[in-house]
Amino acid sequence: MRGEPINVLLVEDDPAHAEIVKRNFETFRIANRLIHVWDGEEALDYLYRRGKFSDSKDSPRPGVVLLDLRLPKIDGLEVLQTIKSDPDLRRIPVVILTTSAAEADKIKAYDSYASSYLVKPVDYAQFVDLMEALGYYWLAWNDFPFEPEND
Amino acid sequence: MMERSATVGKWSIQRKLFLIILTTLLASLALVTIGLVGYELSTYRSRLTQEVTVVGEFIAANSAPTLAFDDAQTAQQTLATLRGTQSIAFAALYTADGRLFASYSRVGQEPIAAPPRPGPPGLKFTDRKLELVRTVEQKGLQLGTLYLRADMASVYTRLRNYIGIVFVVWLAVGGGTLLLQRLLQRSVSEPLLELSSMAERIAGGDLSVTVPVRSKDEIGLLASAFNRMSGELANSYKDLEENRARLAGIVATAMDAIITVDAERNILLFNSSAEAMFRCPAADALGSSIDRFIPSRFEEAGAAPQGALGELNARRLDGEEFPIEASISVLGVEGGRLLTVIVRDISERKKWEEAIQASENRLRRAEEIAHFGYWKCDLDTSQMTWSDEAYRIHGFTPGSFQPTMRRYRDLVHADDREHFDQAMKRGEHHNFQYRIVRPNGTLRYLTATTELLSNEKGDAVALFGTFLDSTEVRQAERDLQEKNAELERFTYSVSHDLKSPLVTVTTFLGYLEQDMASGDAVRIEKDVHYIRSAAEKMGVLLDELLEMSRIGRLINPPVRVTFRELIDEALLAVAGSISERNVEVRVSGDTFLYGDRPRLMEVWQNLIENAVKFMGDQAAPRIEIGFEDVGGERIFFVRDNGVGIDPRYAEKVFGLFEKLDAKSRGTGLGLALIKRIVQLYQGRIWVESEGAGRGSCFRFTIPGALRGVDAAAEEPARS
């Protein structure tokens, strides 16, 4: 079990859903920093430290990416594929967090080397449980290779 | 003359032969007789003379002694030896002094007075008698004179004898001939008679006779020739008989009707098939005119030379008309012409022909309707035969070229050739598909099946197959697939985008419970806000979904409306946001439009809404609305100087549920909706933007709304 807090990049276009994740992370004090971007373009800009994220201090490398599938500008799947085909970024685990339970989406996600696929539950209690488990699993239990930039 | 020879001609050969022989013999005898008689008569004188001289000499010599001795008795006896001669009628001996010494007279002779004195010696012919006077001498001494008188009596006797003999001979000959006739009969006239009676029998019809050949002469030759002839005749007759029988058999059993008519077209022969065909017994038909059965055109044909008449109409006894095929042959006979007509009832055949024709027509029509062609390929020659529709499917006029397997391959789309080759090699194949390129360059999809045709030995001789032009079907399939895909996308999108707000609602309800319990008013307000906006979103989403589903049907009846009217309405609907954002709106131009008014209005409303929504930080927000005529098209535009659109995403903007800005209000349906409407009016829509902060210009065409309105000609009055 690791103790160091890590950075989480949340890629989510729905403000309400982003709010839910934020609140949960606060509750469970999981992350050091939760960075929220609104679409696929921003997500890649962040990871490549370009555009409005050129300042590396403001854009620390995330330890895990929470990725919604349906995103404006650049689709979630495309973001996933870009990350996983880049030798520099592909070690970052990408967890799909989406409302879609469609089989096709799951297949495509795993085919593109998604590390996990989570479906947002419609039930409040379940969502809370999920967030908690998510936090503990990925941030507490899961181990990462040492990355010097990881602050 | 004629009559006489006619009469003679009637005599039998027997009689003729007999008469010939007889006449010949008798004629020759007569000639002989005449010859002899003639000879006699012509030579009797000299003969007599000679005889008398010799006799005289003899008598003289013999009588000399008698005279010498004056022996009158012996002299008388010596003279009496003249009895032996016929010709001496009288003889007298005179002494030297001339006195009658002895005399002789032929028996039966009329007494002839002796000349008293003998004349001078010598011969004297007088009046049919010959007188000889000579001397009788002995040792040179005349002793006396001899007088002889000869007459014709002997000649006459002789002649009489000749005639008698001849007469007898004639009789003998006659009798002999009669006897000879018997022989003749046997060797000549009997065989001839036999021959002639045989001939009679043959003439009478009995061909079985043969004549015995008994001799090697002309009669024998005749007999054997006769036999040969009668044999030949018998054969000819047999052949004739056979032919006749065969012909009769043919006529009787022929399935076609055979009718023979004379020059006046009266029926002489009406075979059983004719009886059946015309439903008239032969007895009824014979003697009547053929016009009853084959009217009118037959007349012309009757005058024509023989041959096929082609198709005519004939009539049965009961009047029913039916189609026939007929042919005529003409035979010239003594006293005129015989026409033989052979008739075939083709009503069945015609029915079948019509049925086949109708069936073919149906097939052809079916082919055309179904865009279906069939073909056959001969495996030996690689020659193909195509149906008319097959030609059309491939873009050729029927029959315009001779298809071969090789040439066909050239028609197959390059990418499909291998597939095609494999299918062809396999022989039997069901429903394999390939593309062809028509001569005019268009692409067609074909579905083909093939089947191997074999001969009796089981060897494959041909490929038979069908083509079906399945291009339209393919297109429809593709369209359907597209529609299905779109539906799937749609459903997917819908479920996702409906689910999202639902998750929000339930989760924030949970938070709300917590926050109400803890009394955190700030949080409560936030929670409620999220819940409300999520619910609203769901509402809007459902409305727009309904709208989308309705887009497929333009439910309002088309009306004529001006461009300005629509713009005014749209601006009114967005008035709030416009004034809030302080947007300047410029409208130019006017034209008539014809279509579903609310839908058309929606197009501008959505565009204006978007323009206002995406003004961003623009200090002097401005929207321009109008249209331009470019390249023969009327292109409408809505231009803004707002945040613009990243050119990379210019296409995506029109996608279903695509929002380029997550934070913005709206469901992302607006532009997809507009695109649908524009497409329904056969138009297209696109956006031009140089990028972030450079504004954007949406352009679209709606040709379908400009039809029914002479847009160029009419310009409504500008307000």
Side-chain angles (χ1 to χ4, degrees):
Chain A
M1 182 155 175
R2 52 179 293 124
E4 311 94 60
I6 59 169
N7 299 313
V8 175
L9 178 65
L10 172 65
V11 189
E12 173 61 65
D13 68 324
D14 187 333
H17 291 205
E19 179 69 22
I20 297 168
V21 173
K22 280 183 195 151
R23 287 195 191 180
N24 274 296
F25 269 50
E26 274 163 22
T27 309
F28 296 107
R29 279 192 291 277
I30 297 169
N32 185 32
R33 250 182 95 170
L34 178 68
I35 303 127
H36 174 218
V37 294
W38 292 94
D39 57 47
E41 189 184 61
E42 283 193 2
L44 289 176
D45 283 350
Y46 181 93
L47 289 167
Y48 284 109
R49 298 211 182 103
R50 59 185 183 218
K52 61 184 182 199
F53 301 105
S54 351
D55 189 352
S56 59
K57 214 162 23 88
D58 286 332
S59 43
R61 187 187 172 89
V64 68
V65 177
L66 288 180
L67 180 63
D68 190 4
L69 285 179
R70 298 206 73 255
L71 297 168
K73 298 214 180 114
I74 297 180
D75 196 56
L77 192 64
E78 209 183 313
V79 172
L80 172 63
Q81 284 163 348
T82 309
I83 293 173
K84 290 300 173 183
S85 56
D86 188 323
D88 211 33
L89 300 170
R90 67 180 176 213
R91 282 189 212 139
I92 305 175
V94 178
V95 174
I96 306 295
L97 182 62
T98 181
T99 45
S100 168
E103 207 57 32
D105 284 334
K106 294 180 202 167
I107 288 169
K108 278 189 246 177
Y110 276 106
D111 275 350
S112 305
Y113 310 110
S115 303
S116 171
Y117 192 100
L118 298 171
V119 180
K120 294 176 191 164
V122 180
D123 184 83
Y124 163 74
Q126 280 189 6
F127 208 152
V128 172
D129 286 346
L130 172 63
M131 285 287 102
E132 189 179 355
L134 177 72
Y136 275 118
Y137 183 89
W138 283 102
L139 304 174
W141 288 105
N142 197 46
D143 221 338
F144 304 93
F146 175 69
E147 304 282 354
E149 309 101 73
N150 230 357
D151 191 67
Chain B
M1 198 46 122
M2 266 309 215
E3 228 184 78
R4 209 170 47 216
S5 58
T7 324
V8 167
K10 282 202 204 131
W11 291 348
S12 71
I13 290 207
Q14 201 162 315
R15 187 189 286 188
K16 280 186 196 156
L17 277 175
F18 175 70
L19 286 173
I20 288 170
I21 293 170
L22 197 65
T23 316
T24 313
L25 283 171
L26 293 180
S28 38
L29 273 175
L31 281 171
V32 165
T33 310
I34 291 166
L36 279 174
V37 167
Y39 178 70
E40 268 301 318
L41 286 174
S42 68
T43 56
Y44 83 93
R45 265 200 188 187
S46 61
R47 214 167 352 97
L48 207 61
T49 306
Q50 198 175 30
E51 196 184 342
V52 166
T53 309
V54 166
V55 167
E57 207 168 304
F58 186 66
I59 294 294
N62 281 353
S63 320
T66 61
L67 277 173
F69 297 108
D70 203 28
D71 190 354
Q73 204 183 340
T74 309
Q76 195 79 9
Q77 282 176 345
T78 306
L79 285 182
T81 63
L82 286 170
R83 276 200 309 269
T85 69
Q86 274 285 333
S87 47
I88 307 290
F90 181 77
L93 198 61
Y94 297 89
T95 59
D97 48 358
R99 161 179 67 87
L100 184 66
F101 191 62
S103 74
Y104 156 80
S105 246
R106 195 165 54 204
V107 172
Q109 180 63 45
E110 277 175 27
I112 295 174
R117 299 205 105 71
L123 278 167
K124 201 164 55 178
F125 255 108
T126 51
D127 194 33
R128 284 217 190 135
K129 59 184 187 280
L130 178 64
E131 287 168 317
L132 171 72
V133 175
R134 65 160 289 137
T135 56
V136 176
E137 288 178 9
Q138 192 173 28
K139 284 188 195 126
L141 197 64
Q142 191 181 340
L143 301 174
T145 314
L146 180 65
Y147 173 82
L148 290 175
R149 185 196 281 185
D151 62 12
M152 299 291 291
S154 64
V155 176
Y156 291 151
T157 316
R158 202 118 114 216
L159 284 175
R160 228 184 3 258
N161 288 342
Y162 280 155
I163 288 167
I165 291 168
V166 164
F167 190 68
V168 166
V169 169
W170 276 21
L171 285 175
V173 159
T177 309
L178 274 170
L179 286 170
L180 206 64
Q181 197 191 246
R182 230 123 288 201
L183 278 168
L184 287 177
Q185 213 163 292
R186 199 153 300 164
S187 66
V188 175
S189 79
E190 234 173 42
L192 281 176
L193 276 174
E194 199 176 24
L195 215 56
S196 86
S197 76
M198 299 291 191
E200 287 269 349
R201 280 168 67 185
I202 288 181
D206 181 356
L207 292 179
S208 62
V209 299
T210 47
V211 176
V213 178
R214 294 203 188 88
S215 58
K216 288 219 175 91
D217 58 5
E218 286 84 348
I219 292 189
L221 284 173
L222 187 64
S224 50
F226 193 84
N227 286 337
R228 270 205 310 282
M229 242 173 42
S230 89
E232 289 286 332
L233 205 66
N235 284 340
S236 305
Y237 197 77
K238 197 153 57 96
D239 288 344
L240 205 69
E241 208 20 65
E242 264 175 28
N243 276 337
R244 197 200 63 80
R246 198 169 345 129
L247 191 67
I250 290 173
V251 166
T253 60
M255 286 180 18
D256 293 334
I258 300 178
I259 305 175
T260 304
V261 296
D262 62 16
E264 282 82 47
R265 298 206 293 279
N266 295 319
I267 296 175
L268 303 174
L269 175 87
F270 201 75
N271 76 342
S272 51
S273 292
E275 289 183 314
M277 185 182 293
F278 292 98
R279 303 198 192 129
C280 173
D284 192 359
L286 290 171
S288 65
S289 170
I290 197 174
D291 295 339
R292 285 165 81 187
F293 303 113
I294 306 179
S296 64
R297 257 200 66 191
F298 186 80
E299 293 170 21
E300 310 144 29
Q306 56 191 39
L309 285 182
E311 290 183 14
L312 300 175
N313 268 328
R315 217 194 348 249
R316 297 193 221 272
L317 187 63
D318 59 11
E320 178 194 336
E321 293 208 353
F322 64 103
I324 59 160
E325 248 179 7
S327 66
I328 294 190
S329 71
V330 180
L331 180 68
V333 295
E334 235 175 74
R337 277 184 337 164
L338 287 184
L339 298 168
T340 303
V341 191
I342 300 185
V343 181
R344 181 169 296 173
D345 182 347
I346 55 172
S347 17
E348 270 303 306
R349 194 185 83 189
K350 278 216 141 336
K351 249 191 287 177
W352 284 116
E353 277 175 5
E354 274 163 39
I356 288 173
Q357 189 61 45
S359 175
E360 267 189 33
N361 288 342
R362 278 198 296 274
L363 180 65
R364 193 161 290 139
R365 194 77 200 97
E367 274 188 274
E368 276 177 38
I369 291 170
H371 295 306
F372 164 113
Y374 60 85
W375 55 273
K376 186 174 162 194
C377 178
D378 191 302
L379 288 175
D380 297 324
T381 64
S382 262
Q383 291 277 42
M384 295 174 98
T385 328
W386 283 9
S387 71
D388 287 353
E389 193 57 29
Y391 280 102
R392 282 189 219 110
I393 286 172
H394 289 79
F396 296 95
T397 36
S400 64
F401 84 107
Q402 179 62 34
T404 62
M405 200 43 108
R406 190 168 325 138
R407 290 185 74 174
Y408 191 73
R409 261 190 106 254
D410 294 338
L411 290 173
V412 175
H413 192 281
D415 296 341
D416 295 339
R417 273 190 201 143
E418 203 184 301
H419 175 49
F420 180 82
D421 287 340
Q422 280 175 359
M424 283 296 124
K425 236 187 289 240
R426 192 122 38 103
E428 302 257 330
H429 207 134
H430 293 286
N431 289 335
F432 66 95
Q433 302 193 331
Y434 59 95
R435 288 164 291 177
I436 53 136
V437 182
R438 283 183 176 173
N440 66 0
T442 51
L443 195 72
R444 300 302 281 182
Y445 282 84
L446 295 191
T447 308
T449 52
T450 58
E451 199 178 273
L452 276 173
L453 293 181
S454 319
N455 61 11
E456 319 82 51
K457 280 188 273 181
D459 305 325
V461 288
L463 266 182
F464 184 75
T466 58
F467 310 117
L468 184 63
D469 186 344
S470 46
T471 312
E472 272 93 28
V473 172
R474 272 304 205 91
Q475 193 57 47
E477 269 175 11
R478 262 208 303 276
D479 287 347
L480 189 67
Q481 271 171 1
E482 242 183 76
K483 284 254 151 50
N484 274 341
E486 202 183 309
L487 190 66
E488 244 185 73
R489 275 199 306 273
F490 188 81
T491 315
Y492 170 81
S493 294
V494 163
S495 71
H496 190 278
D497 287 290
L498 271 178
K499 201 173 170 196
S500 241
L502 197 63
V503 165
T504 305
V505 165
T506 53
T507 317
F508 277 96
L509 277 173
Y511 282 132
L512 187 63
E513 273 179 346
Q514 274 190 346
D515 294 337
M516 282 199 309
S518 68
D520 186 339
V522 171
R523 282 274 279 238
I524 288 171
E525 198 186 320
K526 244 190 161 182
D527 293 341
V528 167
H529 161 77
Y530 278 126
I531 292 169
R532 184 180 294 117
S533 68
E536 270 174 13
K537 195 165 163 191
M538 277 162 75
V540 168
L541 190 72
L542 284 169
D543 283 342
E544 291 203 344
L545 280 176
L546 189 62
E547 191 69 19
M548 280 299 281
S549 75
R550 277 213 290 240
I551 285 302
R553 302 165 277 130
L554 291 167
I555 51 176
N556 298 309
V559 294
R560 202 157 137 217
V561 66
T562 68
F563 173 66
R564 284 302 176 101
E565 281 170 349
L566 290 174
I567 300 302
D568 290 342
E569 220 182 295
L571 288 172
L572 197 62
V574 194
S577 329
I578 290 175
S579 66
E580 201 187 302
R581 194 64 186 75
N582 230 350
V583 182
E584 184 198 340
V585 178
R586 284 196 211 148
V587 187
S588 58
D590 199 3
T591 182
F592 282 110
L593 294 166
Y594 184 74
D596 184 332
R597 189 186 166 130
R599 297 277 105 70
L600 287 172
M601 201 276 293
E602 238 178 302
V603 173
W604 275 282
Q605 183 182 335
N606 259 286
L607 287 173
I608 296 168
E609 265 176 2
N610 273 348
V612 171
K613 210 193 304 181
F614 291 100
M615 271 307 170
D617 299 327
Q618 178 60 252
R622 190 175 62 245
I623 298 177
E624 285 164 17
I625 306 171
F627 58 89
E628 292 166 334
D629 289 328
V630 178
E633 287 183 295
R634 179 150 286 184
I635 302 180
F636 295 87
F637 62 84
V638 173
R639 194 180 289 121
D640 68 67
N641 58 1
V643 300
I645 295 175
D646 189 326
R648 286 180 288 170
Y649 310 125
E651 272 297 302
K652 271 195 143 188
V653 149
F654 296 102
L656 217 51
F657 299 120
E658 289 289 343
K659 278 163 53 179
L660 292 187
D661 186 349
K663 288 182 270 232
S664 67
R665 289 197 315 279
T667 53
L669 268 176
L671 285 175
L673 216 79
I674 299 173
K675 184 171 176 183
R676 262 285 173 66
I677 297 171
V678 162
Q679 277 173 344
L680 280 169
Y681 285 99
Q682 293 91 47
R684 57 190 200 286
I685 183 167
W686 69 101
V687 62
E688 292 163 10
S689 172
E690 284 161 42
R694 307 297 207 90
S696 36
C697 179
F698 282 82
R699 290 186 194 271
F700 62 97
T701 61
I702 36 171
L706 292 169
R707 271 183 230 132
V709 169
D710 195 347
E714 295 182 55
E715 283 284 342
R718 293 265 281 260
S719 57

